[in-house]
Each structure stands twice: as C-alpha cells, then as structure tokens.
Amino acid sequence: MQGVKLVKTQDKSLTVEWLDGRMAQFPYFWLRDHCREPESLNQDTLQREVDTFSIPEDIRAETATLSGDGSKIAVTWAHDGFVSGYEAAFLREMAFGPEGRVKRKLWRGGDIQEDLPEYDFADIQAGDKGLLSMLEGVEKYGFAVINGLPTNVDATRDFITRIAYIRETIFGGLWDFSANMAHSDTAYTTADIGPHTDGTYSFDSPGLQLLHCLAFDGEGGISVFADGFKIAETIREEDPEAFRILTEVAVPGHYLEEGVHLIARHRIINLDDDGELEQICFNNFDRAPFLLDEARMMQFYNALRRFHDLAYDPAMQVRFQLVPGKAVLFDNWRVLHARTAYTGFRHLAGGYVNREDFESRLRVLRKA
Ligand code: OGA
Ligand code: ZN
C-alpha cells in the first residue's frame, strides 16, 4: 500500500501527494459526493446515500488532515463541520486506476506459436487458483487453450459456469454444432471461415467465447487466431489516417434467419477515454449494406483493407487443431478467430460469457 505524504487544501480541490511522489487533485464537490461515511454511503451495499444535488456547489474544506501512517485522510467541511474520511488507497485507485492488473501482451503469431498459453482442465477444476491463472492468461494474451476436458456438453457447461452464467443469444445458451445448418450461419457448415469477431450484430458483442471440441474425425478444421489489438496498434503506427477512420465509421453488422433480423453498429476499432484499445468488432461476412459519400466510402474501404490484410497475414496468426478434449477460451473483444475448411465429422460445443461477468469473476478471484 502506498501511503500519502501530504495533503493540501486549495481553493476548489484537495491536493494529495503520495510517498512515491505521485500527485492528484480531487475537487471538493467530488470528494463530498464520494464521502465514505455511513451517512453518505451504505456500508452493506456500497450504494450512494448522499444527496449529490444538495451539496453546495461552492463547497470548501475547512481542514484536511492525514492520519499518522498516511493511510487515511479526514476532510472537515466548512459549511456544516461534517468530517468525511477517505482511505488513501481509494483515492489512489480513483486517480491512477487499479493496481496490480495483468499487463496485456500483444502478439504476432511467431511470438507465441511455440509457447501458447495452455492450461489443464484438472488444474482449473481443482480450485480458484487454477481458474484465476487461466483467466489471467486470457487477460494477457486474449485467449487460453485448455486441455483434458471430458468430451461431453456437461463438461462444456461446467467449465463455462465456473466463470459465469452462459449468455443467451439467438443460438441459444450453451450450443453444440456440427455441419447441419441448424442456423443460417457458416459456423454450421464445413466451409472455411475467415478471421472475425462474433456478434457484430449485437450492441453488446459477447465478451468471451468458448469453443470445445467433442469429436473430430476428418481433415482440416484448423483453428486460427489473430490479436486484433496488435493489428490495431500496427495500423495506428503505420497508417494513422486509416486508424482514425476505423475508430470513426460506424459499421452495421446483421444476422438474418427466418423470423430474425438483427442489426447493430460498431466501430471496427473502439477506444476508451484515454485512447487505449477497448474493443475490436470485425466481421466482413456479416457487414450489412451501408453507404457513405464517395470520398469517405473509399477511405473506409482502404482502411478496412489494411485491417483485413493484417488479419489474414499468416505472420499475425497462431494455428492449432481443436482435437477432442481440447478447448479454447478467447476474448471476443480483442482476438479474431477463424477456422479452415474441413472434411469428415466435427462436433464442437461452446458458449458466450458477457464482458462484465468475465471482469467480475477476475475481480472477485483476485480479491480472495
Ligand atoms: C463461429 C466460428 C469456429 C469453428 O462459430 O463463429 O467461428 O472452429 N466457428 O468452427
Ligand atoms: Zn465465430
């Protein structure tokens, strides 16, 4: 824990300096709104109880004091004399984000092909430590390969529900598919499927996807993955104009079958408020018709081509075969997946997990 070195009241905000020299400013209005006392914050549910809009707009601190070890700050408010206490760790996280997060490692195929993030199902089932280690693999690389799963859908379900409940979609919850055209999607054929992310026709594209091989007796059907974040960063570096267009143009995706007509729009590259990569949505097969003015339309195609060419570049890809008992869990907001054509019989099961449920499981496991 980083202790606080000093606190200083300014006109409209409190300045906090930590022992490592990092500094941050907290507006008084924000501080009163984020008061941690039982009068302001329900201690059981952590729901806000302070009435934000009865806080004086020009609220000021009379004094701010630091507890002896630098772990707590007390602010006395000028207008009513109320004292709000804050943990130094809380303010630090607000200013600089959570500590100890796994750093993403962006990759080209060759970086990891010989050293894939692989995990044993037995270790994952044995306890939370194994589960956390596998999920941190997904956080770091965008995917994890799991070996030794029993080849039945009960194992698929058990595995996904260790992470979270299975998301319901047009394909059901837990799905299992072979080439039978149960839905009007290439997933249900033996054809080659190029690199894509799933659910571009959903406003909330699935966060994680599991593909679990139950049976395979044939040729081909190689699974291919590419790091969409690496592709995006490569474009950002080499062609900033194309990068910008991919962050700006809202591309509609659609899914059609009897009685269903889904459409949603996404930028292909989505950034957070700091300009960091947040989500890739790329599925050229499911792109719905849309038209921009001529210049913009052609700029878009050129930018899309750059993304496409990198996604299809073997140097960017890892490849492996899903054999019975092998599964791959991947971050559908980051990694593109594909599979080559195949002959024979192939039976996969799998499902989706929402993004927030994946992140929730990570937070809870880390805290334990
Ligand atoms: C899909 C898909 C991959 C596979 O269903 O969207 O990409 O290995 N399937 O069959
Ligand atoms: Zn897919």
Side-chain angles (χ1 to χ4, degrees), residues 82-223:
F82 187 76
V83 182
S84 299
Y86 304 90
E87 301 281 338
F90 166 70
L91 295 182
R92 185 161 171 109
E93 178 170 341
M94 286 299 101
F96 307 116
E99 243 144 70
R101 272 186 58 173
V102 169
K103 272 196 86 169
R104 286 179 195 142
K105 184 154 173 25
L106 306 195
W107 47 267
R108 286 193 179 80
D111 301 337
I112 57 167
Q113 179 69 61
E114 300 309 322
D115 188 20
L116 297 175
E118 293 198 64
Y119 302 85
D120 283 330
F121 181 63
D123 294 338
I124 296 165
Q125 290 306 86
D128 285 350
K129 207 163 150 260
L131 179 63
L132 177 60
S133 146
M134 188 271 303
L135 291 175
E136 289 189 329
V138 175
E139 207 181 20
K140 187 167 177 184
Y141 297 102
F143 73 101
V145 179
I146 300 102
N147 297 307
L149 273 106
T151 50
N152 58 67
V153 290
D154 289 333
T156 318
R157 185 183 299 104
D158 287 350
F159 180 78
I160 303 182
T161 52
R162 286 286 312 283
I163 307 167
Y165 62 91
I166 300 169
R167 170 170 168 159
E168 288 279 337
T169 70
I170 190 76
F171 302 105
L174 185 79
W175 32 258
D176 68 305
F177 66 85
S178 47
N180 62 13
M181 259 345 217
H183 290 274
S184 69
D185 198 278
T186 43
Y188 295 83
T189 70
T190 62
D192 186 87
I193 307 177
H196 65 281
T197 59
D198 274 17
T200 51
Y201 43 75
S202 166
F203 290 109
D204 174 24
S205 305
L208 293 183
Q209 179 170 184
L210 180 78
L211 293 171
H212 171 201
C213 182
L214 303 183
F216 182 57
D217 182 13
E219 298 285 331
I222 305 288
S223 296

Side-chain angles (χ1 to χ4, degrees), residues 97-353:
E99 243 144 70
R101 272 186 58 173
V102 169
K103 272 196 86 169
R104 286 179 195 142
K105 184 154 173 25
L106 306 195
W107 47 267
R108 286 193 179 80
D111 301 337
I112 57 167
Q113 179 69 61
E114 300 309 322
D115 188 20
L116 297 175
E118 293 198 64
Y119 302 85
D120 283 330
F121 181 63
D123 294 338
I124 296 165
Q125 290 306 86
D128 285 350
K129 207 163 150 260
L131 179 63
L132 177 60
S133 146
M134 188 271 303
L135 291 175
E136 289 189 329
V138 175
E139 207 181 20
K140 187 167 177 184
Y141 297 102
F143 73 101
V145 179
I146 300 102
N147 297 307
L149 273 106
T151 50
N152 58 67
V153 290
D154 289 333
T156 318
R157 185 183 299 104
D158 287 350
F159 180 78
I160 303 182
T161 52
R162 286 286 312 283
I163 307 167
Y165 62 91
I166 300 169
R167 170 170 168 159
E168 288 279 337
T169 70
I170 190 76
F171 302 105
L174 185 79
W175 32 258
D176 68 305
F177 66 85
S178 47
N180 62 13
M181 259 345 217
H183 290 274
S184 69
D185 198 278
T186 43
Y188 295 83
T189 70
T190 62
D192 186 87
I193 307 177
H196 65 281
T197 59
D198 274 17
T200 51
Y201 43 75
S202 166
F203 290 109
D204 174 24
S205 305
L208 293 183
Q209 179 170 184
L210 180 78
L211 293 171
H212 171 201
C213 182
L214 303 183
F216 182 57
D217 182 13
E219 298 285 331
I222 305 288
S223 296
V224 180
F225 295 87
D227 186 351
F229 282 5
K230 183 69 174 179
I231 293 171
E233 290 299 357
T234 305
I235 298 172
R236 170 141 59 185
E237 210 177 292
E238 293 176 356
D239 190 345
E241 183 59 18
F243 181 83
R244 194 171 57 76
I245 287 165
L246 295 173
T247 64
E248 284 178 1
V249 174
V251 181
H254 64 177
Y255 178 82
L256 290 130
E257 67 173 57
E258 186 62 33
V260 180
H261 189 171
L262 304 177
I263 301 182
R265 286 172 188 270
H266 289 277
R267 278 78 191 169
I268 291 173
I269 299 172
N270 296 272
L271 304 177
D272 68 15
D273 293 344
D274 298 323
E276 298 287 336
L277 295 169
E278 188 167 72
Q279 185 182 10
I280 302 296
C281 295
F282 174 80
N283 189 330
N284 202 49
F285 313 105
D286 292 353
R287 178 158 48 81
F290 75 110
L291 179 66
L292 303 171
D293 71 58
E294 184 195 326
R296 184 86 168 154
M297 194 77 239
M298 293 318 294
Q299 282 173 343
F300 169 73
Y301 275 120
N302 289 332
L304 187 66
R305 174 174 289 112
R306 288 200 76 103
F307 197 98
H308 167 278
D309 288 355
L310 285 165
Y312 280 74
D313 179 352
M316 299 300 286
Q317 301 172 340
V318 294
R319 290 170 178 256
F320 52 88
Q321 180 110 48
L322 283 178
V323 292
K326 204 181 196 54
V328 57
L329 178 70
F330 56 94
D331 179 349
N332 185 59
W333 282 26
R334 166 174 171 187
V335 163
L336 312 178
H337 62 287
R339 80 137 200 247
T340 65
Y342 67 92
T343 59
F345 180 72
R346 181 172 183 264
H347 187 183
L348 293 192
Y352 297 127
V353 168

Side-chain angles (χ1 to χ4, degrees), residues 128 131-132 135 161-165 355-367:
D128 285 350
L131 179 63
L132 177 60
L135 291 175
T161 52
R162 286 286 312 283
I163 307 167
Y165 62 91
R355 181 86 206 168
E356 64 270 24
D357 296 316
F358 163 52
E359 292 186 356
S360 163
R361 175 61 68 233
L362 269 171
R363 280 185 205 109
V364 170
L365 289 174
R366 277 201 187 112
K367 214 166 173 182

